[in-house]
Amino acid sequence: MQDPTLITQGFTPPLLLSNFRLAAFDMDSTLINIECIDEIADAAGRKAEVAAITEAAMRGEITDFKDSLRRRLALLKGVPMSALEGVLKERLQFNPGARALCAALKSAGIKLVLVSGGFTFFTRFVAAELGMDFVRSNELEFKDGVLTGGLVMQSWGEICDGEEKRRMLLQCCAEIGCRPEQAIAVGDGANDLPMMGAAGLSVAYHAKPKVREQAMVAINDGGLDRLLDLLN
């Protein structure tokens, strides 16, 4: 009987770690324990409203991620930078096994990608802590030390949605000279499905039902390092 806390679909483990050259990770609720935007909203007294939109977007009930993000950002207008600093220092924690999994993958020569619909304010810290090789996320716009409710346009675009996550995975594969089948993609929400679908191994971590159903591996209990149980 298959372990209900670690479900595999479409392949028979173990897999060879040497078959993979790149691993792409979502950040919020995957590598870390929170949805950063919801915690920022807490400072504005709008957490319930923002979190409801986040939950619907992650479940796939809101299919336009860009629209859902803009709606949430508008509710954060006027929140001071100090509130984000508080979230980073007091609320953000790495999920169990995140450091161990990333360290093991790096030791095996696998390049790490952090690709998030969240914000560079947090991804810079997470990427530095975990030794990420590539990072893509959204840049919050500040004016006079407070959020404007908008984002800063970057060279690749404004909003890192599901399709941008997929493009980033494929771009990084091309940059290091590997095939998408040699990539692992790990996420928890509906906006992770495009990159998970492009990767050779898709992993759902404590994920929404729609994501668990479509992933090749679903970790439903325990830490991220449980993935190492399937890799030799």
Side-chain angles (χ1 to χ4, degrees), residues 41-137:
D42 199 19
R46 313 293 292 267
K47 184 172 182 178
E49 193 173 352
V50 170
I53 301 172
T54 301
E55 178 71 10
M58 293 304 100
R59 285 184 172 274
E61 294 160 6
I62 298 176
T63 56
D64 188 338
F65 177 83
K66 290 184 177 180
D67 177 64
S68 79
L69 183 59
R70 289 189 178 105
R71 285 165 56 193
R72 286 175 285 168
L73 285 171
L75 296 170
L76 303 183
K77 185 176 180 178
V79 172
M81 184 179 289
S82 59
L84 281 74
E85 293 167 348
V87 171
L88 179 59
K89 293 176 182 177
E90 300 164 16
R91 303 191 185 192
L92 186 153
Q93 296 179 8
F94 287 95
N95 274 329
R99 291 183 185 274
L101 175 58
C102 288
L105 295 177
K106 284 187 75 71
S107 293
I110 293 172
K111 297 295 185 183
L112 302 183
V113 183
L114 177 55
V115 58
S116 173
F119 309 117
T120 57
F121 188 92
F122 303 100
T123 57
R124 288 192 188 102
F125 170 79
V126 171
E129 287 289 306
L130 298 179
M132 294 288 168
D133 299 287
F134 305 96
V135 185
R136 180 154 297 176
S137 58

Side-chain angles (χ1 to χ4, degrees), residues 93-200:
Q93 296 179 8
F94 287 95
N95 274 329
R99 291 183 185 274
L101 175 58
C102 288
L105 295 177
K106 284 187 75 71
S107 293
I110 293 172
K111 297 295 185 183
L112 302 183
V113 183
L114 177 55
V115 58
S116 173
F119 309 117
T120 57
F121 188 92
F122 303 100
T123 57
R124 288 192 188 102
F125 170 79
V126 171
E129 287 289 306
L130 298 179
M132 294 288 168
D133 299 287
F134 305 96
V135 185
R136 180 154 297 176
S137 58
N138 305 311
E139 181 80 45
L140 288 165
E141 183 178 62
F142 291 89
K143 185 175 182 180
D144 300 324
V146 302
L147 292 175
T148 67
L151 295 170
V152 176
M153 181 66 72
Q154 300 182 70
S155 60
W156 50 265
E158 181 190 21
I159 294 179
C160 185
D161 61 356
E163 284 308 310
E164 187 59 39
K165 289 189 175 196
R166 178 180 177 275
R167 281 192 292 271
M168 181 61 173
L169 180 141
L170 295 175
Q171 178 184 318
C172 291
C173 284
E175 187 163 331
I176 68 169
C178 79
R179 303 185 309 278
E181 306 91 80
Q182 295 173 291
I184 302 168
V186 186
D188 74 296
N191 63 324
D192 297 315
L193 286 171
M195 76 168 179
M196 291 170 70

